[in-house]
Amino acid sequence: RSDAVEPVAVRTSGTDFYVVNLMPFSVKTLLRFSGSGRQVTAPVGRTPLPLKNNVLELTLAAYELRVFRAEHPIESVVSEIPSEELRKFHAQIGAIRGALPNVDRNLRGKVELLLARLEADLKARKFWSYRTELELAAPLWKAAGILPPFYWNDGWPVTPQGAIPAEDLKACTETP
């Protein structure tokens, strides 16, 4: 799903789907379903969750993974990060831009290119990509003498390679 890649990824298999928050903070996500279903169920325990106007609203904790079963397919996914986190990202961009005049001429071009990618990621709401670019640039920040605010290396964000297909998750969650 192109609308469910980041900051929350959604993968589907038939009526089963999973939702995973790729960020180190909570994210609010709205999943709109086609059809007129009234609920989705969590396969473990078969706990029903009500839909409001065909929408399931979730607040996912940092890196949280949730698995569900729905009567109808997902029509759209919209995710919102906390405004404080977005403010931090913009403060980082501002600090990098402000430090540019003091960056060694030999590094300035690299910093400007990276800054342009970071700004594009934020504009496109690709928050996981933004954070990954920022973290992977640690050697450049160090060489350029830039320490963006709210920046600490809390581990490299890693793409969930080989994301578990929903059908495999289903097999793990079914009770005999």
Side-chain angles (χ1 to χ4, degrees):
R1 298 194 57 90
S2 63
D3 60 347
V5 178
E6 57 178 282
V8 170
V10 177
R11 300 293 183 267
T12 60
S13 176
T15 59
D16 298 331
F17 66 97
Y18 72 88
V19 182
V20 62
N21 178 5
L22 302 175
M23 303 305 291
F25 46 77
S26 66
V27 175
K28 180 180 174 181
T29 300
L30 303 174
L31 295 100
R32 178 173 299 284
F33 294 85
S34 62
S36 59
R38 294 192 330 214
Q39 66 185 26
V40 298
T41 57
V44 177
R46 308 291 190 260
T47 307
L49 294 172
L51 299 178
K52 294 179 185 172
N53 298 320
N54 294 333
V55 174
L56 174 63
E57 183 176 320
L58 299 172
T59 299
L60 300 167
Y63 305 114
E64 183 178 8
L65 168 72
R66 306 261 319 257
V67 181
F68 299 99
R69 182 167 292 141
E71 300 169 17
H72 300 284
I74 298 171
E75 190 174 278
S76 65
V77 178
V78 177
S79 297
E80 290 294 326
I81 68 169
S83 59
E84 177 61 17
E85 298 300 330
L86 187 57
R87 185 191 71 73
K88 289 177 183 178
F89 291 161
H90 284 289
Q92 290 169 332
I93 293 289
I96 295 165
R97 184 165 296 292
L100 267 176
N102 300 321
V103 172
D104 181 87
R105 188 179 59 205
N106 296 324
L107 292 175
R108 193 172 300 141
K110 289 180 182 179
V111 173
E112 288 171 336
L113 285 173
L114 180 56
L115 179 59
R117 284 197 314 266
L118 291 170
E119 290 174 328
D121 287 342
L122 279 188
K123 184 176 181 181
R125 305 184 59 71
K126 292 183 174 183
F127 304 119
W128 184 87
S129 295
Y130 169 87
R131 191 165 177 272
T132 301
E133 290 264 15
L134 189 75
E135 293 288 332
L136 292 176
L140 179 59
W141 302 138
K142 184 175 181 179
I146 299 173
L147 180 60
F150 313 107
Y151 176 84
W152 51 89
N153 186 348
D154 58 352
W156 303 110
V158 178
T159 303
Q161 275 187 322
I164 302 169
E167 55 201 43
D168 292 347
L169 284 173
K170 177 182 169 185
C172 294
T173 61
E174 290 183 342
T175 54

